[in-house]
Amino acid sequence: MLEHYDIAVIGGGLAGSVAALAAAAEGWRVAFIAPPPPRQDGRTTALLSESIDFLARLGLWEDVRPVSAPLRTMRILDGTKRLFRAPPVSFRSSEIDLDAFGYNIPNQPLFDVLQAATRQSGQIDRFESPMVEAEQSDESVTLILEDGTRVTALTALAADGRGSKLREAVGIKVKTWSYPQTALVMNFSHRIGHADTSTEFHTERGPFTQVPLPGNRSSLVWAVKPGEVDAILALPRDALNAEVETRMRSILGAVEVEGAVQAWPLSSLIAESFGKGRTMLVGETGHAFPPIGAQGLNLGLRDIMQAIQCIIDAGGPQNAPEAVTAFNRKRRTDVTSRTAGVDLLNRALLSSFLPVQALRAGGLAALSAIPPLRLLAMREGMTPGWRKNDAAKPAAPRV
């Protein structure tokens, strides 16, 4: 069995699903190679306004909005006990003329909406058998699936994650490194309202970050040493509730952790290039790093927007090599700067070296005390060249 397509998207997660829908929106015929995920995802994702606009243009946002909470203030508090401690820093969306920086969205409902949309699209054919082999020629990319199906496409978007088989098959190498941290992920209810505010406590073990959900609920990403994970997971629920409240300094009052707690080891990855031949890397196939500063999936969605635009600018999927060359050039600065920035922030938190601690505290103090510097940090945190890009792009539906 041999099927021919304009675009093949490999990987059925959040980035792959959006990539398939974005390609289909251009009228291209899409092969979506998307094996079911191994487990339910209890995490949440903070999508910034550019990403929300993208979902709106794809007709997805109104289905996701009811389970999402706006992020209007992002606050950093120094929770360390070190000699050099930073003052509190608050970033408010109103300072850059936005109603909200973005929205915090539970991954599973977002995934479910994306899956339903891909199944309803007449431009997308879904294959649930995993890809086992791939090869590129001057004319196409050929993908061989586990059930024997062969798929050819003019262009391939690799969204199959950190262990990408397609990335390996086309010969793109990656640099990887790990951290002495595991992220515990959970949702919790609380007595005091969060006021659309996300609070990131900086601790000696890494970030302890609360992000709003609808109502008096929030999600939590809690970085701990790997050796502490089992003991925390074994805590009786009352003791876990008390521990979270204590670490939150009771700013949200009494808390009640909901459901299961998931653990995710922290590591980073960056590809040596973001495309080769007729294949482009999007999402965690090309870059991955710890959950600091709401950058991960937002960076992946910028990959997708840029990939689609590069294909259009090249004249269509048949001209994939030109599109890949442009994509690799245009994504380099954004991806490398975000990866380096998150890595530096995380390492600065973990470092016991006094000059590093002093630099971190001084940098946060400058952001707190100097409004123009804080505004610049907020704008560039949203997306590179935020003001220029925002003025140039067509208006999106209001969120």
Side-chain angles (χ1 to χ4, degrees):
M1 180 179 177
L2 182 62
E3 299 280 353
H4 302 277
Y5 294 88
D6 297 314
I7 305 285
V9 177
I10 297 83
L14 298 178
S17 301
V18 174
L21 291 165
E26 299 300 325
W28 299 322
R29 190 165 178 240
V30 179
F32 184 34
I33 299 167
R39 62 169 168 168
Q40 293 270 309
D41 191 344
R43 296 173 294 178
T44 66
T45 296
L47 290 185
L48 302 177
S49 61
E50 177 191 41
S51 298
I52 298 297
D53 287 348
F54 187 32
L55 293 184
R57 291 195 294 272
L58 294 175
L60 301 166
W61 173 235
E62 290 306 320
D63 290 331
V64 176
R65 185 171 186 164
V67 298
S68 307
L71 303 173
R72 294 191 168 97
T73 301
M74 295 186 181
R75 176 171 55 188
I76 298 175
L77 299 179
D78 194 328
T80 68
K81 298 178 181 178
R82 290 169 171 164
L83 177 61
F84 295 105
R85 300 181 72 245
V89 184
S90 291
F91 304 95
R92 296 178 175 85
S93 61
S94 59
E95 294 183 86
I96 53 173
D97 301 320
L98 287 176
D99 176 61
F101 290 115
Y103 285 76
N104 190 38
I105 307 170
N107 284 9
Q108 195 60 47
L110 173 59
F111 177 78
D112 293 342
V113 167
L114 294 173
Q115 296 308 291
T118 59
R119 294 184 190 280
Q120 292 167 7
S121 173
Q123 295 296 113
I124 298 173
D125 287 344
R126 187 187 182 104
F127 300 85
E128 293 195 347
S129 181
M131 189 204 85
V132 291
E133 294 181 44
E135 59 184 30
Q136 296 194 98
S137 69
D138 291 340
E139 293 78 28
S140 65
V141 181
T142 299
L143 309 168
I144 302 171
L145 310 188
E146 192 174 70
D147 65 3
T149 300
R150 295 172 65 90
V151 174
T152 64
L154 297 173
T155 306
L157 300 180
D160 48 338
R162 298 179 186 227
S164 170
K165 289 186 177 180
L166 181 54
R167 184 189 63 218
E168 181 180 359
V170 301
I172 298 176
K173 296 180 180 179
V174 296
K175 177 184 177 182
T176 62
W177 60 100
S178 59
Y179 301 94
Q181 297 163 291
T182 296
L184 298 179
V185 179
M186 65 196 79
N187 297 331
F188 64 97
S189 60
H190 39 82
R191 185 171 298 168
I192 300 172
H194 49 55
D196 302 330
T197 297
S198 173
T199 302
E200 181 170 288
F201 292 89
H202 285 183
T203 80
E204 289 87 351
R205 290 169 172 78
F208 179 94
T209 307
Q210 164 267 333
V211 190
L213 287 170
N216 279 16
R217 300 177 62 244
S218 292
S219 61
L220 177 67
V221 178
W222 176 5
V224 301
K225 292 181 178 179
E228 298 172 334
V229 171
D230 289 343
I232 294 172
L233 294 180
L235 285 173
R237 189 51 54 99
D238 287 349
L240 180 60
N241 294 340
E243 184 70 18
V244 171
E245 181 184 350
T246 298
R247 291 178 178 272
M248 285 288 301
R249 300 181 184 173
S250 295
I251 61 174
L252 297 177
V255 310
E256 177 104 16
V257 175
E258 304 170 349
V261 178
Q262 294 185 339
W264 302 81
L266 296 186
S267 62
S268 288
L269 169 153
I270 188 167
E272 64 177 12
S273 67
F274 306 112
K276 186 175 183 179
R278 290 179 168 269
T279 298
M280 289 179 268
L281 311 185
V282 299
E284 289 197 340
T285 303
H287 49 78
F289 42 69
I292 296 175
Q295 294 298 319
L297 185 58
N298 291 286
L299 192 62
L301 296 187
R302 286 208 294 277
D303 294 339
I304 295 165
M305 288 184 269
Q306 192 76 71
I308 297 298
Q309 190 60 53
C310 286
I311 295 170
I312 293 170
D313 292 346
Q318 66 273 18
N319 298 321
E322 291 90 341
V324 169
T325 298
F327 176 78
N328 190 44
R329 181 181 68 253
K330 292 179 178 181
R331 294 307 296 141
R332 174 63 55 185
T333 300
D334 188 17
V335 172
T336 55
S337 64
R338 304 283 158 159
T339 302
V342 169
D343 180 68
L344 180 62
L345 283 171
N346 195 39
R347 292 185 187 278
L349 271 181
L350 299 176
S351 177
S352 59
F353 190 46
L354 283 178
V356 172
Q357 294 176 21
L359 284 172
R360 182 187 69 84
L364 290 173
L367 289 174
S368 178
I370 306 173
L373 183 61
R374 187 170 63 254
L375 295 179
L376 176 63
M378 283 190 282
R379 289 168 179 159
E380 290 303 308
M382 296 291 288
T383 188
W386 180 71
R387 277 296 186 197
K388 178 177 68 176
N389 292 347
D390 189 63
K393 74 181 182 183
R398 285 183 59 83
V399 298

